[in-house]
Amino acid sequence: MVGLLTWKTPQKGRKRLELEESSVLRMRFLEASMAVSTHPSVMRRRILWAGKRLRKAGVVQVVPPADFAHGELLEKSGLRPVSTLALRRSISADWVRSGLEGKKLSVSGSRVAVAAGVLTGEVVRTVTELCLRHRYVLLDLPYGGEELCRQLRREYGVSLLLGPSKDQLEGAEALVLFDRRLNLSMRNPVLLRLYDDTAPLPRLTLPPESEAELPEGLDRGRLLAALREAGAIRREQISVSPGP
């Protein structure tokens, strides 16, 4: 079971830490609700206490509060935040589109470059979606790109540029990185670091009836990642709003 860490306003007669099961879109969580304190040392003790209680109950992954700055305390308790990497990669094509729109750049006419160390299913899906939406797609991949190129041409009649130069990668309006690249300037108007779990996510929304059930005050990206991983929401239900 995935855990939730939430803050609550202190109330007379209520415990400073409460542990109970809760449900979000029919997905069960074990929620540790902590009373807020103005004293940092008290808050640290409560976070450690909550982490130990969750871990003792068998929880390994947690959705922390929004803007949570105490990840090291979770680690001490044997917990880790829910990863957003799979979520980031699943929305990458929509993220590129929204990023270009946010920068007032042409969606179909912009050059989109993808760089990856290994040809995975996530890379294939992203490149395929990008080729169907954008006229110029560049792929920097050590091996496997030729077969993907033939497949895209055969199935969809689209093509991509294999083995782009450093200048071509840096000159693309959008750059999608599945792995860290130290030799690039990273000055592209739209830059997606799909390997960085801490990089800001775009604004993600669900259909209104699902939005109404999402609790406030949690790290939204990690909550949606947990719900998607469990099958409580589908990728198609997640919308990416235009922006940087």
Side-chain angles (χ1 to χ4, degrees):
M1 184 181 295
V2 177
L4 298 179
L5 278 177
T6 58
W7 305 126
K8 64 180 178 181
T9 303
Q11 293 182 5
K12 189 175 181 179
R14 289 190 63 181
K15 297 178 181 179
R16 294 183 177 87
L17 172 65
E18 295 180 324
L19 202 66
E20 61 183 357
E21 285 195 16
S22 60
S23 176
V24 179
L25 296 174
R26 298 174 300 281
M27 179 179 173
R28 292 168 55 245
F29 293 88
L30 186 60
E31 180 177 356
S33 181
M34 301 169 289
V36 176
S37 172
T38 57
H39 300 285
S41 60
V42 173
M43 287 305 305
R44 290 177 64 87
R45 286 199 300 272
R46 289 179 184 172
I47 292 169
L48 283 171
W49 185 20
K52 290 178 180 178
R53 291 281 303 277
L54 287 170
R55 187 67 190 91
K56 187 176 181 180
V59 171
V60 176
Q61 299 183 82
V62 295
V63 177
D67 302 318
F68 187 69
H70 303 284
E72 78 284 356
L73 300 181
L74 296 182
E75 188 176 348
K76 283 184 178 180
S77 303
L79 301 174
R80 66 176 183 274
V82 172
S83 173
T84 62
L85 293 182
L87 173 65
R88 292 169 186 273
R89 293 165 183 170
S90 72
I91 65 169
S92 54
D94 289 346
W95 195 350
V96 167
R97 184 207 66 235
S98 70
L100 291 171
E101 290 175 348
K103 297 288 186 179
K104 309 300 182 185
L105 296 170
S106 168
V107 173
S108 61
S110 292
R111 295 161 295 174
V112 181
V114 179
V118 180
L119 184 62
T120 64
E122 292 171 320
V123 174
V124 171
R125 181 176 60 249
T126 296
V127 171
T128 300
E129 292 182 7
L130 290 173
C131 282
L132 294 175
R133 301 179 185 187
H134 306 274
R135 191 175 307 159
Y136 309 107
V137 179
L138 300 73
L139 177 59
D140 183 41
L141 191 70
Y143 58 88
E146 295 80 4
E147 176 56 34
L148 177 58
C149 187
R150 287 192 292 268
Q151 177 184 336
L152 291 173
R153 188 179 297 112
R154 181 174 61 252
E155 295 184 8
Y156 303 106
V158 298
S159 60
L160 65 155
L161 173 65
L162 294 177
S165 66
K166 179 175 179 289
D167 287 343
Q168 287 175 315
L169 291 173
E170 294 183 333
E173 282 73 27
L175 176 60
V176 180
L177 298 175
F178 279 83
D179 303 282
R180 189 182 303 276
R181 294 290 298 268
L182 301 177
N183 63 327
L184 299 176
S185 65
M186 306 293 192
R187 295 175 182 170
N188 306 72
V190 177
L191 176 64
L192 274 57
R193 296 181 176 91
L194 301 183
Y195 56 85
D196 186 354
D197 186 50
T198 63
L201 280 161
R203 183 170 179 267
L204 304 176
T205 58
L206 299 178
E209 62 275 12
S210 298
E211 279 287 337
E213 294 191 40
L214 296 183
E216 297 181 355
L218 289 169
D219 185 310
R220 187 179 183 85
R222 299 192 189 280
L223 177 60
L224 294 183
L227 293 169
R228 177 185 172 276
E229 180 67 23
I233 57 174
R234 302 185 307 276
R235 162 64 193 90
E236 295 75 19
Q237 293 177 281
I238 305 173
S239 298
V240 183
S241 299

